[in-house]
Amino acid sequence: MVKYPFHIGFCAPSRTIDDVSKYETIERYLTDRGAKVSFDETVFHPVKQFGGTENDRLAAFMRQIEDPTVDVVMPVRGGYGISRLLDAIDYEAIARHNPICCGFSDFTAFNLAYLAHTGKVSYQGPTGVSFAASVPDLTETSFLNAVTDTVWQVHFETTSDETLNLEGCLWGGNLSMMVSLLGTPHFPKIKGGLLYLEDVHERAYRVERMLLQLDMAGVLRQQKAIILGDFQGVDGRTPLREEQFAWRDVVEYLRTRLPEIPIIEGLPFGHIPERVTMPVGAMTRLTLESHRVTLTSTDHPTIKK
């Protein structure tokens, strides 16, 4: 059985969990594997869909970050809500505490804002609800590798027959959340980066429109590579009609539009149960040979024991 020999502090900067019985399930799953688990009290006091008022959610987030016994700060789930907090977050104060923060989906807004304001690395990875059922081996081992090992590494297969050896800032997350930050002080200015993207329940034309917005804003052409994760639901119901605009059309057009930038598919990351944990802001080496991609970094934060 995989072990979690550290303390995870949960809060709800976005939505909270509707079914309160899941908190007990999450706690049991993690404590059975050696973890200490704490939930900020605000997760049990929702306001509409949110985990409390804006002031409550911000205070809860900072309590977890400032608690010296907490090793990893994690939202209980994504959804929507952290965007309301971005202007009020004291990023420099967070950087001084230098926490390990991990989440994905809506949490992308914090990941990117934290990188933009401080240059510090955080994680796209599990949230509380990830532990509300049996966790796939890849999800567990990748998360533990990220927060405990001195070398972070991810391998995956791709259709590309290129041979690449690149190094740059690995960054990204949810495409919709990234686009929502364009033109704000919370959007990182990354040149020569390795940009990874995912989304869920966005049809192909909407995904392409967001990618075009990133390109027209000058973001995509400044990267060394674009790595595509899972885009669950992008083609709607299958089978596809012959005339239907689909995910393949998006990828082919992106490659035509950006012929000098490798577009790499197959990253096991997104709104799927089996997914890897990805640093946001870590200097990373990407190698691609014989259809196999390896991402490697030693620039990621780990639990200090």
Side-chain angles (χ1 to χ4, degrees):
M1 181 185 291
V2 171
K3 294 294 185 181
Y4 295 82
F6 47 81
H7 181 180
I8 303 177
F10 289 104
C11 55
S14 302
R15 291 191 67 166
T16 189
I17 299 174
D18 298 329
D19 182 357
V20 294
S21 69
K22 286 187 177 180
Y23 289 113
E24 183 179 347
T25 304
I26 294 165
E27 184 172 13
R28 186 186 318 114
Y29 186 94
L30 290 168
T31 56
D32 284 351
R33 288 157 177 77
K36 179 179 179 182
V37 175
S38 58
F39 294 99
D40 192 273
E41 62 179 14
T42 54
V43 306
F44 304 108
H45 302 288
V47 175
K48 293 189 181 292
Q49 69 168 5
F50 305 115
T53 66
E54 277 70 60
N55 288 339
D56 291 340
R57 288 183 285 127
L58 181 58
F61 189 37
M62 292 306 298
R63 276 194 295 273
Q64 297 300 322
I65 285 168
E66 293 169 355
D67 186 337
T69 72
V70 171
D71 297 305
V72 179
V73 178
M74 192 177 286
V76 293
R77 60 159 296 169
Y80 169 71
I82 205 167
S83 297
R84 291 187 174 194
L85 309 183
L86 294 182
D87 290 339
I89 292 173
D90 188 338
Y91 299 98
E92 294 299 332
I94 295 174
R96 287 194 294 274
H97 288 279
N98 202 28
I100 295 176
C101 295
C102 181
F104 80 113
S105 193
D106 198 53
F107 200 68
T108 300
F110 170 77
N111 294 127
L112 296 179
Y114 188 48
L115 178 61
H117 289 282
T118 71
K120 291 281 191 175
V121 181
S122 57
Y123 287 108
Q124 286 268 300
T127 62
V129 293
S130 302
F131 304 102
S134 180
V135 184
D137 289 345
L138 176 64
T139 304
E140 286 196 308
T141 56
S142 182
F143 171 59
L144 289 168
N145 164 232
V147 301
T148 62
D149 293 348
T150 56
V151 178
W152 170 84
Q153 200 162 68
V154 160
H155 307 277
F156 63 95
E157 301 295 322
T158 186
T159 57
S160 175
D161 59 1
E162 297 177 274
T163 298
L164 298 172
N165 188 348
L166 306 171
E167 188 170 17
C169 175
L170 184 67
W171 69 298
N174 181 262
L175 175 60
S176 296
M177 295 309 301
M178 177 172 284
V179 168
S180 76
L181 297 183
L182 279 172
T184 75
H186 309 304
F187 192 89
K189 296 177 174 63
I190 305 296
K191 295 183 179 180
L194 308 173
L195 174 63
Y196 61 91
L197 299 166
E198 64 84 25
D199 219 315
V200 63
H201 301 321
E202 296 287 0
R203 297 298 292 272
Y205 76 94
R206 291 175 59 86
V207 171
E208 181 171 289
R209 187 164 60 197
M210 289 187 282
L211 289 168
L212 291 180
Q213 187 173 354
L214 284 178
D215 186 34
M216 289 185 280
V219 176
L220 298 188
R221 294 170 193 266
Q222 294 182 352
Q223 309 309 310
K224 290 183 179 178
I226 299 168
I227 308 167
L228 299 174
D230 190 84
F231 283 77
Q232 189 111 88
V234 68
D235 283 334
R237 295 182 178 180
T238 54
L240 295 175
R241 301 186 306 276
E242 184 177 351
E243 72 277 10
Q244 182 176 335
F245 183 73
W247 173 242
R248 296 311 321 156
D249 299 303
V250 175
V251 177
E252 289 170 13
Y253 179 66
L254 192 63
R255 286 185 169 134
T256 300
R257 187 179 177 97
L258 304 171
E260 302 302 318
I261 301 174
I263 311 295
I264 302 169
E265 296 181 83
L267 178 68
F269 171 76
H271 286 68
I272 49 178
E274 192 170 23
R275 62 179 180 268
V276 293
T277 294
M278 301 285 288
V280 181
M283 288 303 298
T284 301
R285 181 164 295 279
L286 180 155
T287 60
L288 168 55
E289 188 173 6
S290 301
H291 302 284
R292 184 170 175 82
V293 179
T294 300
L295 299 169
T296 307
S297 180
T298 58
D299 189 35
H300 59 295
T302 56
I303 296 168
K304 304 297 189 293
K305 291 296 185 183

